[in-house]
C-alpha cells in the first residue's frame, strides 16, 4: 500500500470494499481579503472552492476558465481528487458553508454567508447551529463510508486558531498551502482573534477564530460514527482542528475505532510542521498519508508538490488512501492528472 | 397491500427491501401571487414548501409556527410523509428549485430563483440546465431506490400547462389541491402562456408554462434508471406531467420497467379528474394509489381528505406505497399523524 500508516488499528480494513461517498465542505474567509494568509492566487481566491468542486464533479471548472492554480503555477489538489473519484466512479457531495462564489453544480446549502474576520474574533455566530446542520445532513445521506474533505482558502490559519484556542501546542506545527509559510503573520491574526472569544468553550472558539467548514464536518463525522459507518477526515492541519473539535463535543467518537484522518505525504513530511504530534495530542486516532510518486512527474507543477507547494486540499490525501484500498495505485492518479493537465490548463499555459 | 395497482408489471417487487431515499423537489410559482390557482392558504403560500420539508426532516416546521394547513383546516400531506420516513427511519433529501423561502435545514440548491409567471409564458429560461442539474445530483447520490415527490403550490396548473402544451388531452382531467377546482381559471392562465412558447419542444414548453420542479425531477429519474435503480414518481397530476417530460426526452426510460408513479386514493378517485387516463396516454407505466383509512379518523381535517381537500403532495402517496411494501400499514401512518396532530397544531388550534 502506498500509504504511510501511523496507529492503524484495523481501520483500513473497515474502509475497504465499502461504497464510499466523497463529500467536500467549502467556505471562504473574509480575513483573506485583507491579510495574505492563503497561498491561493489572490485574483481567484473567491472562486477557488467553487471551481475546485466543479472540477471534481464534472471534470472541468465552470466558475473559472481553468481549474485553480497557485501563484507559482501548481495545479489545485482538486486534480488529484478528480482522478480518484472519476477512476472509481465515486459519488461526490458538495456542501457550501459560505463560499463567496457558489458552485455551478448542485450543492447542499448549509450557510450562504462566508466565514467572517477572525482578526476580531468574528468568524461566525452560529457554530452550534452549523454543527447540528452537519449532523442532520449526514443522518439523511446514504453511504457505507464517508470521506470528507474541505476547500477553504486561508483555512490553515483558522486551524491554528482553533487548536491554540483549545489549548493545544500547535504554534510551530501547522502546515501551509505554500512553500513560504507566513507563521508570524498567521499567529498574530489568530492571537488577536482568540482574545475576543467569549470563553474557551469549543463553540465560542469556533465562533471567534474557526471557519464554517469545521462545525459542519464535525457534525457530519459524528453522525457517521453514530450510524456505525467509518469516516475518514481527508486533510492535514485543517482536519486535525476538526478532530480537536469533535473531541471537545464527544470524546467517545475518537475511541470508536470508526474515525481516522488521512493526508498527503507532502503534509506529513513537511519540515515546517508536525501533524503527527498534533494528532497525538488530540487522541488515539489512526493517521494516514498517501504517496503520489510526483517526484517522477514530467510536469513541473506536480513536481513542485514535493518541494512544498500546495501539499493538500479538497480531500486529496484521504480520497487517495480510500482509492488505493479499493484498486487504484499512485501511477493511476498521476497519469490521469498528467493526461488531463493540458486540457485543463490550455487557457492558462501560454 | 393497501395499494391500488394498475399495470403493476412486477414493479413493486423491485422496490421491495431496497434502501430507499425519499427526495422532494420544491419550488414557488410567481403566478400564485396574482391569481388564486393554488389551494394553499394565501398568507403562508411562500413558506409552505420550506415548512413542509422541515416537518418531514425534523418533525417540526421552523419557517412557520405550525406545519402548513389549508384554508379549510386540513393539514399538509407532509404529515403523512413525516409519518412514513420517521417510522421507517428513511433518509430525506430536500432539493430547492426556487422556493421563495429557503428551508432551515440542509438542502440541495439547484436554482435559487422561483418559477416565473406562466401567464406570459415566462416560467423559466433554463429548463435544459435544470434537467442536467437533476441528472448530476442523482448520479452523485447513493440509493437503492428513489422515491421523489414535490411541494410546489400552484403546481397542478403548471402540470395542466405542460400536458396541454405537449399535446395531451388533459383539459378536464387535472386534479386540484382543493375541493373547488378552479378549472376555467387554470385553463385561461395556461392557454395564454402556451401561446408564448417558442415551439412545442419539451424544453420550450417547460420554459413557458412548466415549473422548475419538473425538469429537475425528470433529470433525477432518468439518472436513476440509467444506474439501474427503481424510481417512484410520488405524486398525481404533477408527476404525470414529469412522466410526459421524461417521455419526450427519452421514451426508452418509460419502457425500462424501472419507473412507476404512485399517488393517493384521493387523487385516483377524484371525480373531477382522470389521472388513470392521462397516464395511459403517456405510456405503459405502472400506476399506484395508497389507501389511508382516513374515513375512520377522529380528526376532521384528516376526514376532509376523503371529501377532496388537499388529496396529495410532498410525495405522500408514493412514500406510503413504499412504506406499505416495507412493513407499515395505513393504521401506522394514521395513528402517527393523529398522535402528533395536537403537538404540531397546538399554535393553530384555538
Amino acid at each position: 500500500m502506498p500509504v504511510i500508516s501511523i496507529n492503524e488499528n484495523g481501520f483500513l480494513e473497515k474502509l475497504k470494499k465499502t461504497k464510499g461517498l466523497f463529500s467536500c465542505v467549502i467556505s471562504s474567509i473574509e480575513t483573506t481579503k485583507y491579510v495574505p494568509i492563503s497561498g491561493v492566487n489572490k485574483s481567484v481566491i473567491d472562486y477557488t472552492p467553487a471551481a475546485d468542486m466543479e472540477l471534481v464533479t464534472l471534470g472541468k471548472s465552470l466558475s473559472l476558465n481553468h481549474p485553480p492554480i497557485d501563484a507559482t503555477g501548481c495545479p489545485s489538489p482538486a486534480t488529484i481528487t478528480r482522478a480518484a473519484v472519476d477512476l472509481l466512479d465515486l459519488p461526490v457531495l458538495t456542501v457550501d458553508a459560505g463560499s463567496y462564489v457558489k458552485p455551478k453544480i448542485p450543492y447542499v446549502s448549509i450557510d450562504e454567508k462566508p466565514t467572517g474576520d477572525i482578526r476580531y474574533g468574528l468568524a461566525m455566530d452560529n457554530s452550534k447551529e452549523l454543527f447540528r446542520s452537519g449532523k442532520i445532513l449526514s443522518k439523511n445521506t446514504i453511504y457505507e463510508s464517508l470521506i470528507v474533505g474541505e476547500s477553504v482558502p486561508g483555512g490553515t490559519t483558522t486551524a491554528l486558531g482553533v487548536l491554540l484556542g483549545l489549548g493545544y501546542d500547535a504554534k510551530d506545527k501547522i502546515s501551509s498551502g505554500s512553500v513560504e509559510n507566513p507563521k508570524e503573520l498567521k499567529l498574530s491574526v489568530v492571537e488577536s482573534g482568540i482574545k475576543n472569544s467569549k470563553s474557551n468553550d469549543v463553540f465560542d472558539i469556533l465562533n471567534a477564530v474557526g471557519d464554517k467548514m469545521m462545525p459542519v464536518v464535525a457534525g457530519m463525522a459524528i453522525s457517521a460514527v453514530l450510524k456505525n459507518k467509518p469516516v475518514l477526515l481527508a486533510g492535514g492541519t485543517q482536519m486535525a482542528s476538526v478532530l480537536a473539535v469533535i473531541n471537545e463535543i464527544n470524546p467517545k467518537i475518537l475511541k470508536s475505532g470508526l474515525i481516522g484522518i488521512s493526508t498527503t505525504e507532502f503534509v506529513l513530511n513537511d519540515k515546517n510542521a508536525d501533524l503527527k504530534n498534533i494528532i497525538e495530542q488530540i487522541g488515539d486516532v489512526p493517521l494516514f498519508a498517501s504517496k503520489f510518486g510526483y517526484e517522477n512527474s514530467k510536469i513541473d507543477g506536480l513536481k513542485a508538490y514535493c518541494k512544498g507547494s500546495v501539499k493538500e486540499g479538497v480531500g486529496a490525501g484521504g480520497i487517495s488512501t480510500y482509492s488505493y484500498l479499493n484498486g487504484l495505485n499512485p501511477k493511476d492518479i498521476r497519469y490521469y492528472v498528467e493526461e488531463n493537465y493540458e486540457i485543463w490548463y490550455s487557457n492558462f499555459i501560454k
Side-chain angles (χ1 to χ4, degrees), chain A:
Chain A
M1 273 277 290
V3 171
I4 305 160
S5 292
I6 297 168
N7 203 4
E8 198 266 340
N9 260 331
F11 181 83
L12 293 180
E13 199 52 43
K14 291 172 193 157
L15 205 60
K16 206 172 169 174
K17 288 185 185 161
T18 56
K19 178 78 184 165
L21 172 68
F22 175 69
S23 183
C24 187
V25 182
I26 64 178
S27 188
S28 298
I29 302 173
E30 193 191 337
T31 318
T32 61
K33 291 205 172 295
Y34 316 114
V35 190
I37 53 172
S38 168
V40 176
N41 201 318
K42 188 96 184 173
S43 65
V44 302
I45 193 167
D46 291 355
Y47 297 85
T48 298
D52 274 342
M53 291 316 298
E54 290 155 4
L55 179 71
V56 171
T57 307
L58 303 176
K60 61 183 171 188
S61 291
L62 302 174
S63 294
L64 291 171
N65 65 3
H66 54 71
I69 189 158
D70 83 352
T72 67
C74 285
S76 166
T79 53
I80 291 173
T81 309
R82 170 62 187 172
V85 304
D86 194 29
L87 291 169
L88 290 179
D89 199 18
L90 291 178
V92 177
L93 180 71
T94 301
V95 181
D96 179 40
S99 177
Y100 274 119
V101 174
K102 303 308 178 195
K104 295 182 196 300
I105 46 169
Y107 64 89
V108 174
S109 176
I110 283 197
D111 193 336
E112 206 186 343
K113 224 179 111 210
T115 302
D117 195 342
I118 57 173
R119 289 179 297 175
Y120 307 107
L122 297 171
M124 66 198 91
D125 58 10
N126 60 344
S127 61
K128 201 172 262 182
E129 193 186 299
L130 293 173
F131 169 70
R132 279 196 208 110
S133 293
K135 276 180 87 171
I136 292 167
L137 172 63
S138 184
K139 178 176 182 292
N140 282 285
T141 305
I142 302 173
Y143 50 78
E144 290 175 4
S145 64
L146 179 66
I147 301 96
V148 55
E150 56 65 42
S151 177
V152 183
T156 57
T157 305
T158 43
L160 174 65
V162 167
L163 288 166
L164 290 180
L166 294 176
Y168 291 97
D169 170 18
K171 207 168 152 181
D172 279 310
K173 295 171 180 174
I174 297 293
S175 230
S176 160
S178 54
V179 179
E180 299 281 314
N181 189 346
K183 284 185 180 179
E184 291 307 315
L185 177 64
K186 288 176 171 184
L187 198 62
S188 73
V189 163
V190 302
E191 281 181 341
S192 81
I194 290 170
K195 276 182 203 151
N196 287 309
S197 179
K198 274 189 196 166
S199 77
N200 60 3
D201 171 82
V202 61
F203 291 110
D204 282 335
I205 294 290
L206 284 167
N207 282 343
V209 293
D211 63 60
K212 291 183 175 181
M213 173 279 291
M214 296 170 177
V216 173
V217 174
M220 292 173 73
I222 288 178
S223 178
V225 171
L226 295 177
K227 291 201 288 184
N228 208 26
K229 306 293 182 192
V231 56
L232 190 58
L233 300 175
T237 307
Q238 294 174 249
M239 288 301 163
S241 73
V242 172
L243 197 66
V245 167
I246 293 169
N247 195 40
E248 294 292 317
I249 297 171
N250 186 346
K252 282 183 194 160
I253 298 293
L254 271 67
K255 297 184 182 82
S256 66
L258 288 167
I259 192 164
I261 179 167
S262 175
T263 186
T264 63
E265 57 181 325
F266 314 118
V267 167
L268 193 73
N269 298 333
D270 184 356
K271 287 188 183 70
N272 294 312
D274 194 346
L275 179 63
K276 183 170 171 285
N277 175 270
I278 292 173
I279 300 296
E280 283 166 356
Q281 291 179 54
I282 300 169
D284 189 22
V285 165
L287 167 64
F288 308 100
S290 294
K291 297 181 182 181
F292 294 94
Y294 270 13
E295 60 277 10
N296 305 315
S297 179
K298 57 188 181 187
I299 294 171
D300 290 340
L302 302 189
K303 263 189 184 160
Y305 272 63
C306 311
K307 288 171 193 147
S309 291
V310 186
K311 296 189 195 76
E312 168 67 294
V314 200
I319 196 64
S320 298
T321 296
Y322 173 89
S323 77
Y324 298 158
L325 269 174
N326 291 286
L328 298 189
N329 64 57
K331 273 187 186 166
D332 296 322
I333 288 182
R334 177 158 66 88
Y335 289 173
Y336 183 101
V337 173
E338 287 176 350
E339 272 166 29
N340 284 283
Y341 186 85
E342 276 191 49
I343 304 164
W344 285 335
Y345 292 102
S346 59
N347 295 324
F348 180 80
I349 307 161
K350 276 113 210 169

